[in-house]
Amino acid sequence: MTTERKATLTIEGQAPVEFPIMSPTHGNDCVDIRTLGGKTGLFTYDSGFLSTASCKSKVTFIDGDKGELLYRGFPIEQLAENCNFLEVAYLLKNGELPNAAQKQDFELTIKNHTMVHEQLAKFFSGFRRDAHPMAVMVGVVGALSAFYHEAMDFSDAEHRSISFNRIIAKMPTIVAMAYKYTTGQPFMYPRNDLDYTANFMHMMFGTPCETYVPNPVLVRALDVIFTLHADHEQNASTSTVRLAGSSGANPFACISAGIACLWGPAHGGANEACLQMLEEIGDVSRVPEYIARAKDKNDSFKLMGFGHRVYKNFDPRAKLMRKVCNEVLKELGLENDRLFKLAMELEKIALEDPYFVEKKLYPNVDFYSGIVQKALGIPTSMFTCIFALARTVGWMTQWEEMITDPEYKIGRPRQLYVGAAKRDVVPLAKRA
């Protein structure tokens, strides 16, 4: 990272001041304004932090114009094709892909942490049966911090690894328990003879009545979904985890904060909203009507699953998810599924219609992932829980990177105050 170049800021009535320009491995150069307040008495204003780099990171890089997503430098397409989710988890945490022995050891370690404390299971009975699973997730994951006290020296790499392994191992168990609780079915214990994703499907869909046999095509599809959602740079929930962690908070509490942020419909709820939109449209014959509504500035209807705040080109994850979608529907004999045919018609029009092409409103990953999860038997209320399960790997990686950064400080954004000017309190008797 180089800082030879300087940016000069000229403010009327003040001498010009210089700030270093930092050059990253990929992406935009950044003006280092950490000394701005001291040198000028001014702050910058950047609502939503759209032009502000809040940290240095080696984890994930996105080039929205090129439609590129890299985990530790590896293209997402290559990782999804050649690696399973736990290999990707190992990569994100350690910076390199595991060799065969490291992969085996890591998978065994995760298997040894999949069970949750029996008292934690009692937490679920405190929730209403009709509670949204994400509400349950926020509470239960946050409660993990009450169960594990012996590895909380976060300056110790081994303690950080123990926390990472625990949360990655237990998230599938907790997500499956949240689902089982809403259905009234008994919780299913993990099976160490199954791999990570197959074990999750066993806990989701298995019952004590018979042995659950995972379908390898469906397992692979869900594993790819996990990989595609493992990390996504400094998004809202990741920034939330980092901000919570900057205070030295327990990592389980930080992940709970990330889950709460992800629950927002503008973030992790997009695939659920996309499926709801398809249900609203209902039939291929109504697609032209809804396309016209999407173009109408005076109509509140929005075409969900198209375009992306970051990707100004095609979402690279969408291409992979489209392939997975076809494989799953073929395996299940659902090629003529009503929603899938509807989705394909929407996709066809969006890729050909000048309005969508000019605005680069291409289908994103959420457009397909909701269809895939529905085909797998996962209800829409659980979609964001699945997202949280996968993203926990990225959250924990980003959390560890932050607290081991020698430059890290507790987060303290500034503000542009636009409220009332200083004024005096009028005694009650004299107020009008």
Side-chain angles (χ1 to χ4, degrees):
M1 183 178 294
T2 59
T3 58
E4 289 85 0
R5 292 188 300 143
K6 303 285 185 179
T8 302
L9 175 63
T10 302
I11 303 169
E12 186 176 351
Q14 297 185 22
V17 289
E18 292 186 335
F19 301 96
I21 296 177
M22 308 171 77
S23 297
T25 306
H26 293 294
N28 297 349
D29 289 350
C30 295
V31 180
D32 183 354
I33 60 167
R34 284 176 289 181
T35 59
L36 176 67
K39 288 180 177 180
T40 67
L42 301 175
F43 297 140
T44 57
Y45 176 72
D46 182 19
S47 179
F49 309 109
L50 301 185
S51 298
T52 300
S54 62
C55 63
K56 296 176 184 175
S57 182
K58 299 178 180 179
V59 181
T60 301
F61 174 74
I62 298 169
D63 188 322
D65 293 328
K66 293 181 180 177
E68 186 174 66
L69 172 61
L70 309 177
Y71 291 171
R72 299 287 191 179
F74 294 105
I76 189 64
E77 296 88 343
Q78 295 180 24
L79 291 171
E81 185 70 28
N82 297 292
C83 305
N84 67 22
F85 177 64
L86 283 189
E87 287 178 84
V88 172
Y90 184 99
L91 165 69
L92 288 173
K93 182 182 186 301
N94 298 293
E96 297 293 342
L97 287 165
N99 59 32
Q102 290 168 333
K103 177 177 181 289
Q104 184 177 19
D105 288 345
F106 182 62
E107 290 179 346
L108 181 60
T109 298
I110 296 301
K111 285 181 179 180
N112 288 336
H113 282 291
T114 52
M115 289 186 65
V116 298
H117 198 289
E118 281 295 299
Q119 282 185 283
L120 190 72
K122 296 178 181 178
F123 274 58
F124 286 86
S125 61
F127 294 95
R128 289 171 51 118
R129 290 280 180 181
D130 60 354
H132 195 288
M134 284 294 281
V136 176
M137 291 281 293
V138 169
V140 175
V141 172
L144 287 173
S145 57
F147 285 83
Y148 302 106
H149 309 286
E150 76 283 6
M152 291 297 147
D153 178 5
F154 305 132
S155 64
D156 188 308
E158 184 178 354
H159 284 204
R160 294 194 302 271
S161 288
I162 291 172
S163 294
F164 181 93
N165 294 338
R166 277 178 172 158
I167 189 72
I168 301 309
K170 296 181 192 308
M171 279 297 286
T173 309
I174 292 171
V175 170
M177 291 171 77
Y179 171 65
K180 288 296 192 184
Y181 185 71
T182 63
T183 63
Q185 293 183 4
F187 299 146
M188 296 295 291
Y189 284 107
R191 280 175 49 190
N192 286 353
D193 61 311
L194 298 174
D195 65 25
Y196 188 84
T197 304
N199 181 46
F200 171 65
M201 295 183 74
H202 147 71
M203 291 188 290
M204 277 282 289
F205 304 121
T207 68
C209 303
E210 56 188 350
T211 302
Y212 178 79
V213 181
N215 180 319
V217 174
L218 306 187
V219 170
R220 174 60 182 162
L222 189 55
D223 198 78
V224 170
I225 288 177
F226 290 166
T227 291
L228 299 184
H229 290 86
D231 197 54
H232 210 238
E233 214 187 71
Q234 304 307 314
N235 54 80
S237 58
T238 298
S239 298
T240 298
V241 170
R242 277 183 171 260
L243 187 60
S246 74
S247 71
N250 183 290
F252 302 128
C254 296
I255 299 304
S256 179
I259 293 170
C261 182
L262 187 70
W263 191 4
H267 192 3
N271 52 10
E272 185 175 347
C274 183
L275 202 62
Q276 289 171 348
M277 175 199 70
L278 293 175
E279 291 285 6
E280 179 185 345
I281 297 173
D283 189 78
V284 171
S285 63
R286 300 187 68 193
V287 168
E289 170 194 343
Y290 279 85
I291 290 291
R293 289 184 61 187
K295 296 178 183 180
D296 186 351
K297 294 181 179 180
N298 298 317
D299 195 313
S300 61
F301 174 76
K302 292 183 179 180
L303 204 58
M304 304 301 296
F306 290 83
H308 195 279
R309 185 179 184 181
V310 173
Y311 297 108
K312 306 309 177 188
N313 204 317
F314 208 92
D315 182 344
R317 301 169 302 169
K319 296 178 181 180
L320 297 163
M321 190 53 62
R322 189 182 195 279
K323 178 182 176 183
V324 167
C325 190
N326 282 310
E327 291 171 351
V328 167
L329 294 173
K330 181 178 180 181
E331 177 69 15
L332 296 175
L334 297 174
E335 298 98 321
N336 294 316
D337 176 76
R338 174 179 60 89
L339 288 182
F340 181 62
K341 290 177 70 175
L342 177 54
M344 292 304 97
E345 182 64 18
L346 275 176
E347 177 194 55
K348 179 176 181 294
I349 292 177
L351 292 177
E352 296 175 354
D353 190 298
Y355 176 87
F356 294 98
V357 173
E358 289 172 10
K359 294 180 178 295
K360 296 185 177 181
L361 296 176
Y362 301 109
N364 60 39
V365 67
D366 299 308
F367 182 71
Y368 300 106
S369 65
I371 298 172
V372 173
Q373 291 183 65
K374 180 177 174 60
L376 294 177
I378 299 169
T380 54
S381 62
M382 291 296 299
F383 286 0
T384 317
C385 297
I386 302 293
F387 194 158
L389 189 167
R391 185 56 57 84
T392 295
V393 168
W395 288 337
M396 285 298 292
T397 300
Q398 299 267 357
W399 167 81
E400 181 171 20
E401 182 180 64
M402 180 203 63
I403 65 171
T404 56
D405 183 348
E407 295 183 352
Y408 113 85
K409 298 178 177 65
I410 184 172
R412 181 55 168 90
R414 298 295 185 169
Q415 67 175 14
L416 178 64
Y417 176 70
V418 293
K422 183 179 179 180
R423 50 186 171 166
D424 296 321
V425 174
V426 178
L428 179 60
K430 296 183 178 181
R431 294 176 205 164

